[in-house]
Amino acid sequence: MDSTTTRSDGDVALPDRDASIEVRDLVIAYTSGGYVVRPINGLDVDAHANELILLVGASGCGKTSLLSVLAGILRPADGTVRVGGVDVTRLKGKELARYRRDNVGVVFQAFNLIPSLTAIENVMVPLRAARVPHREARKRAGELLERVSMGPRLHHRPGDLSGGQQQRVAIARALVHDAPVLLADEPTAHLDYIQVEGVLRLLRELADGGRLVVIATHDERMLPLANRVVHLTPRADMGARAPQRVELAPGAVLFEQGDTGDLVYVVDAGAVEIVRPLANGGVELVSVITPPNYFGELAPMLGLQRSATARAAAGSGAVVTGYTLRDFRERYNLPSFVPHD
């Protein structure tokens, strides 16, 4: 294994490897029902050692997909992801396998422990897979389980452990190769308020100990622990703001599917086409919006990415005005309104 540095307080050995992440112009795309879906479109993120970063947002906003890209499991459609200065998106074969083993530890939402194995045997699995001798692997696994306060339950199987205890075993397993970056997907999803306290404290301690910890979560209890929160779900601007008048040449794009959006648009002149990209490379025309109708309200109302692309009709162009939700409701005397298809 790579060289490590041992902290003076006797905690687990930490890696010399760089625990930084740099994400630039990241696009994650997949197909669903024949359509192209981009849960993440043009994301930039920077994070460093000793930080605990939260990825928050509604279901489907790309939290787990982003973790998968950082772990080298999923290849993005575009953009770069550098971990410790290495562009993960360019790694292949043995280099990619080595990156997954040495640079990132992953804690899965469902624990993914092997039911027939004891706690110590579960933690030994990745070590034995890396051909670490049995005695050394057992010693390392035992040390890590002690580190996460699971020493008294080394020989218990997952079925005999609480949810919080299983999560601690999963965290110990993710640390077996001293990865400088720890990725956790909803680590508190299955824990009650008693179990969650110890897991939250442990994750914060791991970040304070020189690692970078990136967590995807819906759990607001984690917010006070974070150095920074990355919102993957757009947050609507409910305040007053000057309306934005936009003149679009024929065929010009106002916004694309997957973009964040905080404005509702009213068509003043011409026509706007709402289209969705198809998996075969084409587009589907969903609707044509003409004056005085409006569109684009679902994204700011519900905190969603744009579900379709809006472009000026090829034959006419368009003039539109964008309003914040609050401004839109006040101007059109709509305290609440039904979403417009």
Side-chain angles (χ1 to χ4, degrees), residues 10-244:
D11 251 330
V12 295
L14 296 181
D16 288 332
R17 286 158 284 169
D18 186 357
S20 66
I21 287 178
E22 180 185 289
V23 176
R24 291 291 179 270
D25 298 320
L26 185 68
V27 179
I28 297 176
Y30 59 87
T31 60
S32 176
Y35 296 104
V36 176
V37 179
R38 296 184 180 87
I40 290 180
N41 193 23
L43 178 69
D44 292 335
V45 176
D46 288 284
H48 307 281
N50 297 302
E51 286 189 327
L52 190 151
I53 307 298
L54 295 186
L55 309 177
V56 300
S59 296
C61 72
K63 298 188 299 294
T64 298
S65 296
L66 178 54
L67 289 184
S68 296
V69 169
L70 296 176
I73 298 171
L74 177 67
R75 192 172 294 275
D78 201 1
T80 59
V81 176
R82 296 184 180 276
V83 178
V86 177
D87 188 349
V88 180
T89 62
R90 295 181 179 273
L91 299 180
K92 296 179 180 179
K94 291 182 178 180
E95 287 183 341
L96 182 57
R98 189 178 303 114
Y99 166 80
R100 292 171 180 162
R101 183 192 69 194
D102 295 341
N103 292 79
V104 291
V106 181
V107 180
F108 299 96
Q109 179 176 345
F111 310 141
N112 286 5
L113 301 178
I114 301 172
S116 60
L117 299 183
T118 63
I120 193 169
E121 289 168 341
N122 266 283
V123 178
M124 288 174 62
V125 167
L127 291 167
R128 296 294 288 145
R131 298 183 179 181
V132 175
H134 185 276
R135 180 175 295 180
E136 182 180 342
R138 192 172 188 84
K139 181 176 182 292
R140 173 70 174 155
E143 291 171 348
L144 285 169
L145 286 168
E146 289 282 353
R147 169 69 182 90
V148 300
S149 303
M150 285 297 293
R153 290 173 171 78
L154 299 182
H155 306 295
H156 287 62
R157 290 182 171 82
D160 299 320
L161 301 174
S162 69
Q165 291 168 342
Q166 290 185 62
Q167 190 63 282
R168 288 170 179 272
V169 175
I171 292 172
R173 183 183 57 190
L175 298 174
V176 294
H177 294 299
D178 281 330
V181 177
L182 182 68
L183 309 174
D185 189 9
E186 298 285 2
T188 60
H190 304 291
L191 309 183
D192 59 36
Y193 70 94
I194 295 175
Q195 297 169 349
V196 77
E197 181 180 347
V199 171
L200 294 182
R201 184 184 296 112
L202 173 60
L203 291 169
R204 182 64 257 181
E205 288 174 357
L206 289 170
D208 291 338
R211 288 182 173 86
L212 167 60
V213 179
V214 182
I215 301 173
T217 186
H218 287 92
D219 194 341
E220 294 185 356
R221 294 173 296 187
M222 303 193 73
L223 293 176
L225 300 178
N227 295 95
R228 192 149 37 91
V229 178
V230 178
H231 292 274
L232 297 181
T233 298
R235 291 175 293 171
D237 181 359
M238 297 297 291
R241 196 169 79 194
Q244 294 186 5

